[in-house]
Amino acid sequence: MISTYRLSNGAVLPSLCVGTNRMDRQLLDAVIPAAINAGFRFFDSAQAYGNEGLVGAALRGAMEASGLTRSEVFITTKVDNSKQIGRDMRKELDRSLQQLQMDYVDLWLQHWPYPDYFIDNFRQMADLLASGRVKSIGLANPRIRHLQELYDTTGLLPQVIQIELHPFRQVPELLSFCKMHKIQVAAYSPLCFMIDRLKHSPLLVELGCKYGKSVGQIVLRWHVQRGVLPVFRSEKATRFAENAKIFDFVLDEDDMNRIATLDEDYKFIPESLHCPGY
Amino acid sequence: MRRKICLFIAAIGLLSTIGLCLGFLALVAVVLVLLFFYCCNRKVFSTNYWNNRYLAVNDFLASPFFRSDERRNFGVVNLGSAPSHYAFTYEAFQGLNLSSGCQSLGTDLEILRNYHSFIKKGGFVILGLSPYQIDFKEDVAYWSRFIRKVPGRPDEYRGYYANYSYLLPSKSHIVPMRFMRYPIRYKPFEVIYSLFADINKDLPVESIGRSNWPKCCMSARESLGTHDAEIVFSYIQFCKDREYTPVIVVLPVENSLVNAKTEAFSNWVLGTYGKCCKVILSQGYKAWAASDFIRPLIMTKTTAKDFTAHVLSSLSVKSVND
Ligand SMILES: NC(=O)c1ccc[n+]([C@@H]2O[C@H](COP(=O)([O-])OP(=O)(O)OC[C@H]3O[C@@H](n4cnc5c(N)ncnc54)[C@H](OP(=O)(O)O)[C@@H]3O)[C@@H](O)[C@H]2O)c1
């Protein structure tokens, strides 16, 4: 059974989320039902992935097949930079809801803290919370300087941030900041794309043997034990059952500290390429 | 009278025949010239003159391919115009040359805004400034570097151009696009010249036909213009806000080019920026001979290796071999 996190506004989200970027109809129609069958209820999408409509359709199909209601599943979507320029968040929410064919999104994020736009747009997003069409709002890819600027200018802070986070990038200062301000941290690329360096990391392989788990499970468990919400991606139906089985063991403190030594501030996704002036 | 009319008609006939012949010859000549231009235009894509134009971006990470290139956290990058591009080489260091050659300070800042995530926290961002200004404009050939598709170039060049197409001066991108297809139309003399007397492989394209550079195109400067000076301040602030370490390096020139103005330039840079970032004046650390440069201001590869090691050792950056 996948555990949950309670956000600062009282909303509840599952502690593991399934990513959907770079997935077409065929893949989504395979991945989403497999994830639901394995117990996952939380899905991550974005305008920039160009497949919000397909995600919505696949999710509705899987809900119908498994008898789940809308309140039992959770969905994130994100406003693209190109849409931030329009400075009309209501329109973007309408657009996303229409694509997803849903009445509300559980978590609505700005994809990037786009310079000159993100503060005004975040204020608009916060105003839209009252409409009930958005349950929680947040920011993807911020650094402390963005959160501080947002707070200093508007007095607002996100309920959730989604950042690149994995054993090679642990950003302890940002995590402390979020803890202090009751911001839930979600980790994208939580497995660092399972690049070879991670997959064959002697420490992670050793811990896998010790706990009788795969490297993927060790890393996902490490996230959850740190209070982080990993958003992982897989194209393989069999993976979901594997990744859901991380609640039947606990990494001991010593092992958590050893994983902390893997930090090298390694960012796989270069932010400035996606968001010039970041 | 009838004879006169006959003569008149014969003359007209003769003239029109000559006219027709001339017209035909002219037409043939035009067709031949066009054919010649067409052939030259096709041939130029395989010359060093054309291919060396892209030497400068060989060091760049091709942006959409970041998934297949896992290098990150560079300890040093450098920006700046052609003299800076050819002054830094990172075979022995974990560095990245972000100067694409002849670029303005505004473009340096844009490139930094796009590429800074490849730099590690605290990493050095070097801006190389030459005490000489090269007076050729950022012309079509220059902007063509930023175009998405490069005829005759392999695919890995694509990303760099794609990312930068928006840097093109507004609406002027159509001209460089055409330049990429029909260089002969925009640079007929250079193109034809290159077919008969191509430049050496690996010689910077900036140096083509500029053996008389010092006289025609270079002028010593005592300072940067107000606009450029402001851009350098923005650049310094941009680095500091993101926890990188900005460094300004005043690049050396061969000793015979040192004069009161170049000395004044070094002092101006130190006085203007020395308080807010590290400034390295590199003229004095050795005697700079003409043979250290391929062309005035453009260092040879060997000199650049030495120079890079010198600058980086003064920043206490370790070589990958240490
Ligand atoms: N906000 C943003 O800017 C942003 C940016 C990037 C991504 N994201 C979100 O984050 C999600 C996930 O990130 P990601 O795809 O970048 O990286 P990821 O989840 O860290 O890595 C995905 C890779 O891990 C493999 N994998 C998954 N579980 C595994 C296991 N148990 N053992 C071994 N390998 C395993 C997958 O392979 P198989 O397919 O073979 O299972 C896939 O190749 C995306 O789908 C997207 O929704 C958000």
Side-chain angles (χ1 to χ4, degrees):
Chain A
M1 179 72 180
I2 292 169
S3 61
T4 54
Y5 291 128
R6 185 170 291 277
L7 309 184
S8 59
N9 61 349
V12 170
L13 290 176
S15 62
L16 280 173
C17 179
V18 176
T20 61
N21 65 338
R22 295 186 290 140
M23 289 193 184
D24 58 15
R25 181 190 301 268
Q26 204 184 351
L27 203 50
L28 288 165
D29 286 345
V31 158
I32 292 187
I36 295 238
N37 286 339
F40 291 95
R41 297 289 180 267
F42 190 11
F43 297 87
D44 179 74
S45 69
Q47 288 183 325
Y49 303 162
N51 63 1
E52 272 177 316
L54 300 176
V55 171
L59 196 52
R60 279 195 312 282
M63 280 159 61
E64 216 167 278
S66 56
L68 289 172
T69 60
R70 174 67 184 88
S71 61
E72 290 170 290
V73 296
F74 300 83
I75 182 114
T76 300
T77 195
K78 314 182 194 90
V79 185
D80 189 22
N81 282 350
S82 62
K83 303 292 190 302
Q84 286 221 42
I85 292 168
R87 293 189 194 275
D88 187 348
M89 294 299 102
R90 184 182 298 274
K91 189 166 135 198
E92 297 316 323
L93 180 61
D94 289 344
R95 203 196 298 261
S96 285
L97 289 176
Q98 197 202 353
Q99 284 287 316
L100 291 162
Q101 290 284 300
M102 288 179 182
D103 301 330
Y104 66 89
V105 282
D106 296 275
L107 179 59
W108 193 32
L109 306 174
Q110 281 183 18
H111 213 139
W112 295 92
Y114 199 44
D116 303 333
Y117 294 95
F118 81 96
I119 290 185
D120 272 2
N121 288 339
F122 194 84
R123 204 183 268 130
Q124 289 185 34
M125 288 169 74
D127 290 343
L128 284 162
L129 278 168
S131 71
R133 297 192 304 150
V134 188
K135 302 291 177 197
S136 305
I137 56 169
L139 204 51
N141 296 296
R143 298 273 174 116
I144 293 178
R145 66 186 149 87
H146 298 114
L147 296 170
Q148 194 65 59
E149 190 186 345
L150 179 65
Y151 185 71
D152 292 346
T153 332
T154 64
L156 295 167
L157 278 174
Q159 275 109 36
V160 177
I161 63 163
Q162 192 188 86
I163 52 169
E164 181 175 334
L165 193 60
H166 42 70
F168 295 150
R169 183 183 197 249
Q170 305 190 12
V171 283
E173 296 94 350
L174 180 54
L175 258 61
S176 308
F177 181 95
C178 289
K179 196 168 177 187
M180 198 161 78
H181 292 93
K182 299 190 170 51
I183 300 169
Q184 174 62 49
V185 176
Y188 76 74
S189 307
L191 303 166
C192 194
F193 290 84
M194 204 43 97
I195 57 174
D196 281 350
R197 264 179 343 114
L198 187 111
K199 195 192 286 178
H200 303 301
S201 150
L203 172 61
L204 297 174
V205 172
E206 181 201 316
L207 294 179
C209 292
K210 175 175 168 184
Y211 291 95
K213 295 284 176 182
S214 68
V215 166
Q217 289 170 314
I218 295 288
V219 175
L220 292 175
R221 176 71 211 178
W222 168 78
H223 280 294
V224 172
Q225 258 178 249
R226 299 203 324 152
V228 168
L229 191 166
V231 183
F232 72 92
R233 178 183 187 278
S234 178
E235 298 188 359
K236 294 201 178 94
T238 50
R239 265 304 180 233
F240 294 100
E242 177 187 337
N243 288 354
K245 282 202 203 98
I246 60 162
F247 298 98
D248 55 356
F249 74 109
V250 178
L251 293 167
D252 65 38
E253 202 182 321
D254 187 39
D255 292 333
M256 291 294 285
N257 292 337
R258 288 172 77 201
I259 297 177
T261 64
L262 295 180
D263 188 14
E264 50 183 74
D265 200 21
Y266 179 85
K267 187 84 174 54
F268 191 84
I269 299 208
E271 305 106 329
S272 57
L273 288 183
H274 294 83
C275 184
Y278 176 82
Chain B
M1 181 68 185
R2 188 183 282 172
R3 204 165 146 241
K4 272 189 185 162
I5 292 172
C6 284
L7 270 176
F8 182 69
I9 290 172
I12 288 195
L14 190 68
L15 279 177
S16 50
T17 312
I18 292 173
L20 268 178
C21 285
L22 282 178
F24 179 72
L25 282 178
L27 196 70
V28 169
V30 168
V31 169
L32 283 178
V33 168
L34 285 177
L35 203 65
F36 173 73
F37 273 36
Y38 174 76
C39 291
C40 291
N41 197 66
R42 285 197 63 159
K43 279 272 288 174
V44 76
F45 294 131
S46 55
T47 60
N48 292 333
Y49 158 76
W50 182 257
N51 289 318
N52 289 7
R53 191 174 296 281
Y54 305 103
L55 278 180
V57 294
N58 282 353
D59 292 333
F60 265 83
L61 292 175
S63 55
F65 302 94
F66 68 86
R67 286 177 196 277
S68 53
D69 190 335
E70 291 175 11
R71 290 178 300 154
R72 305 286 186 278
N73 280 340
F74 287 92
V76 193
V77 301
N78 70 280
L79 290 139
S81 194
S84 181
H85 178 82
Y86 292 98
F88 293 97
T89 179
Y90 297 107
E91 280 151 40
F93 297 91
Q94 210 223 348
L96 184 65
N97 198 331
L98 286 180
S99 160
S100 74
C102 171
Q103 66 198 32
S104 68
L105 283 163
T107 308
D108 282 317
L109 188 55
E110 278 307 324
I111 290 180
L112 188 61
R113 280 164 53 83
N114 276 261
Y115 274 81
H116 72 86
S117 292
F118 288 94
I119 308 166
K120 78 172 183 197
K121 192 171 167 183
F124 293 105
V125 184
I126 296 173
L127 178 64
L129 294 176
S130 173
Y132 273 84
Q133 183 173 326
I134 307 166
D135 300 323
F136 53 89
K137 300 239 162 29
E138 288 183 341
D139 61 4
V140 285
Y142 170 75
W143 285 109
S144 70
R145 294 157 195 266
F146 298 106
I147 296 299
R148 176 185 277 273
K149 255 310 201 194
V150 185
R153 304 304 304 156
D155 237 19
E156 62 260 28
Y157 288 79
R158 202 167 35 121
Y160 175 72
Y161 301 100
N163 224 38
Y164 282 93
S165 47
Y166 80 93
L167 289 179
L168 298 170
S170 59
K171 293 193 183 152
S172 67
H173 61 285
I174 296 162
V175 173
M177 284 283 199
R178 286 193 194 133
F179 173 79
M180 301 306 288
R181 295 203 176 286
Y182 310 108
I184 194 141
R185 193 176 140 189
Y186 296 91
K187 302 241 164 200
F189 295 114
E190 277 188 15
V191 166
I192 295 169
Y193 182 77
S194 75
L195 290 174
F196 293 100
D198 199 3
I199 57 172
N200 294 337
K201 200 170 182 315
D202 293 351
L203 192 69
V205 75
E206 280 81 8
S207 67
I208 190 164
R210 297 185 194 279
S211 42
N212 57 345
W213 241 15
K215 281 171 237 142
C216 84
C217 311
M218 279 171 45
S219 50
R221 53 182 170 187
E222 292 175 355
S223 63
L224 295 177
T226 323
H227 179 62
D228 279 351
E230 279 306 313
I231 292 177
V232 176
F233 277 121
S234 311
Y235 162 96
I236 293 169
Q237 197 54 48
F238 186 90
C239 292
K240 288 186 169 176
D241 288 348
R242 286 152 189 81
E243 298 178 79
Y244 308 127
T245 314
V247 180
I248 298 181
V249 176
V250 177
L251 299 166
V253 292
E254 59 178 273
N255 278 359
S256 64
L257 291 176
V258 175
N259 57 33
K261 278 190 174 178
T262 62
E263 305 259 296
F265 183 75
S266 294
N267 291 334
W268 179 84
V269 172
L270 194 59
T272 311
Y273 303 114
K275 281 204 192 84
C276 50
C277 84
K278 188 169 174 66
V279 171
I280 298 178
L281 307 176
S282 49
Q283 187 66 44
Y285 92 88
K286 68 170 237 185
W288 294 93
S291 58
D292 289 325
F293 299 84
I294 303 171
R295 288 282 187 274
L297 314 185
I298 305 288
M299 278 184 204
T300 65
K301 188 92 173 171
T302 320
T303 317
K305 271 188 201 166
D306 218 53
F307 178 70
T308 308
H310 167 76
V311 170
L312 297 193
S313 84
S314 59
L315 295 172
S316 307
V317 176
K318 289 211 173 82
S319 141
V320 286
N321 307 317
D322 287 349

